[in-house]
């Protein structure tokens, strides 16, 4: 059974810092992995989708990497801004299923 | 495209009442997912459809929960009778070929 873990649960950094959010999964036979952002009281916004055949994906200041063998993905945020403050969730789709299993998220606060 | 549309955005009801949540997926998407989010359990998949057919309802907590998708542009999640422990935010998401998921704004349900 796939389990997805995100550590730390919360993170507070000063504006301008580069930071890394972690996502770990127990079953390396994944189809893809998706990173989301959730603002308080809002829905989830898709940030990046990374296929199992890819090592990384980039969008603006965001870069997601995937290492299936170690069961890890990282989301790198460059030059963080207060507007990046939100909860970041990763979701894993295991091969052979159409279900996504979500991590519990990392709550990020970027201080001005 | 307007994105995934959910209604109502907020619902307050009394224990024992029937609750119906509605979702309109993005046009052209063939997968529709219903999720529930709580502080204790995070984001849980309840059921998903492919081409209007329910594929996996193993996440539906009890027989009090039911979901339908009568056509490609509409789905409902019904709780009858509702209980206080059903209070949560319910999200609908859609995708094409079970790829990148796009979430609606959610329905915040409070059962008194």
């Amino acid at each position: 059974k796939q389990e997805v873990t995100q550590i730390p649960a919360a993170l507070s950094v000063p504006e301008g810092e580069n930071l890394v959010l972690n996502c770990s999964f127990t079953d390396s036979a994944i189809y893809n992995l998706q990173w989301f952002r959730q603002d308080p009281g809002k829905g989830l916004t898709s940030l990046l989708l990374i296929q199992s055949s890819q090592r990384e994906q980039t969008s603006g200041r965001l870069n997601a990497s995937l290492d299936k063998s170690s069961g890890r993905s990282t989301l790198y945020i460059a030059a963080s801004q207060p507007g990046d403050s939100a909860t970041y969730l990763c979701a894993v789709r295991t091969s052979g299923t159409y279900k996504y299993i979500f991590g519990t998220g990392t709550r990020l606060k970027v201080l001005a | 495209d307007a994105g995934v549309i959910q209604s109502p955005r907020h619902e307050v009801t009394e224990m024992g009442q029937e609750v119906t949540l509605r979702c309109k997926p993005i046009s052209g998407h063939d997968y529709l997912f219903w999720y529930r989010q709580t502080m204790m359990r995070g984001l849980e998949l309840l059921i998903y459809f492919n081409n209007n057919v329910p594929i996996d309802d193993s996440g539906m907590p009890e027989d009090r929960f039911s979901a339908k998708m009568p056509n490609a542009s509409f789905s409902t999640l019904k709780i009858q009778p509702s209980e206080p422990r059903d209070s949560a935010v319910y999200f609908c998401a859609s995708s094409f070929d079970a790829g990148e998921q796009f979430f609606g704004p959610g329905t915040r349900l409070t059962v008194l």
Side-chain angles (χ1 to χ4, degrees), chain A residues 34 38 43 46 93 98-100, chain B residues 31 37 56 98-101:
Chain A
Q34 194 168 357
Q38 185 174 28
S46 177
R93 178 184 160 191
Y98 291 91
K99 298 165 69 166
Y100 280 87
Chain B
Y31 281 84
Q37 187 176 41
D56 187 334
E100 186 176 7
Q101 292 185 87

Side-chain angles (χ1 to χ4, degrees), chain A:
Chain A
K1 179 185 172 187
Q2 181 73 270
E3 293 182 4
V4 182
T5 305
Q6 291 185 248
I7 294 174
L11 182 63
S12 187
V13 300
E15 181 177 7
E17 264 201 20
N18 301 324
L19 56 99
V20 173
L21 306 181
N22 298 298
C23 173
S24 299
F25 45 93
T26 54
D27 184 348
S28 62
I30 70 168
Y31 186 82
N32 61 35
L33 183 148
Q34 194 168 357
W35 281 95
F36 294 87
R37 167 189 174 133
Q38 185 174 28
D39 293 283
K42 304 288 187 183
L44 281 69
T45 300
S46 177
L47 297 174
L48 289 164
L49 175 72
I50 184 164
Q51 303 289 351
S52 63
S53 59
Q54 298 174 313
R55 294 297 298 264
E56 63 179 66
Q57 276 279 26
T58 298
S59 176
R61 294 184 293 110
L62 305 178
N63 175 278
S65 67
L66 176 64
D67 183 344
K68 286 191 302 179
S69 61
S70 65
R72 291 186 61 190
S73 175
T74 61
L75 179 67
Y76 175 83
I77 302 176
S80 58
Q81 303 169 358
D84 295 329
S85 298
T87 296
Y88 291 80
L89 298 116
C90 68
V92 174
R93 178 184 160 191
T94 306
S95 295
T97 79
Y98 291 91
K99 298 165 69 166
Y100 280 87
I101 306 300
F102 278 79
T104 50
T106 293
R107 191 169 64 254
L108 172 67
K109 189 167 188 177
V110 181
L111 304 170

